[in-house]
């Protein structure tokens, strides 16, 4: 069974930084893509895109891990952040969507 386990959320002051990690584990053939989404209270889940100087997404294929480095955080970045991966369980199989459990990021003074 495939699992995505996230870590690194928490409470940070405006202007601060956080680094989220998401590691995939279990039995699978390949990981096609890994990325991040977020959902703020009362809003729909949205994809997190790289923002120069603020959000950087990187991936370590050897560790099956994706990172989200967040700098210059703002109160409007407060949300639950979810890891997403499209994973093929066997050779030739279309990738399936997997989600992490979510990690809370709160930006507040």
């Amino acid at each position: 069974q495939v699992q995505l386990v996230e870590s690194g959320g928490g409470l940070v002051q405006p202007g601060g930084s956080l680094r989220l990690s998401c590691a995939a584990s279990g039995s699978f053939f390949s990981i096609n893509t890994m990325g991040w989404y977020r959902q703020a209270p009362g809003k729909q889940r949205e994809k997190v895109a790289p923002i120069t100087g603020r959000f950087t997404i990187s991936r370590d294929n050897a560790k099956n891990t994706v990172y989200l480095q967040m700098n210059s955080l703002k109160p409007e970045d407060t949300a639950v952040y979810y890891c997403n991966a499209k994973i093929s369980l066997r050779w030739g199989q279309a990738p399936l969507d997997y989600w992490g459990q979510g990690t809370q990021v709160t930006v507040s003074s």
Side-chain angles (χ1 to χ4, degrees), residues 15-98:
S17 298
L18 280 176
R19 188 194 194 208
L20 307 183
S21 301
C22 171
S25 63
S27 179
F28 50 85
F29 175 72
S30 67
I31 300 175
N32 291 34
T33 62
M34 297 186 82
W36 293 93
Y37 288 71
R38 69 183 185 183
Q39 188 166 18
K43 295 188 177 181
Q44 289 192 332
R45 191 174 297 189
E46 63 179 6
K47 188 170 184 177
V48 177
I51 302 175
T52 301
R54 292 230 302 134
F55 289 0
T56 302
I57 299 173
S58 60
R59 183 173 162 183
D60 186 335
N61 292 328
K63 295 182 179 180
N64 294 324
T65 299
V66 64
Y67 304 96
L68 175 61
Q69 177 67 46
M70 301 185 291
N71 302 323
S72 302
L73 282 162
K74 306 174 182 180
E76 51 263 44
D77 294 319
T78 295
V80 178
Y81 284 71
Y82 296 91
C83 172
N84 171 264
K86 293 176 172 45
I87 297 174
S88 295
L89 300 182
R90 292 176 293 278
W91 182 86
Q93 182 195 49
L96 302 175
D97 254 338
Y98 289 89

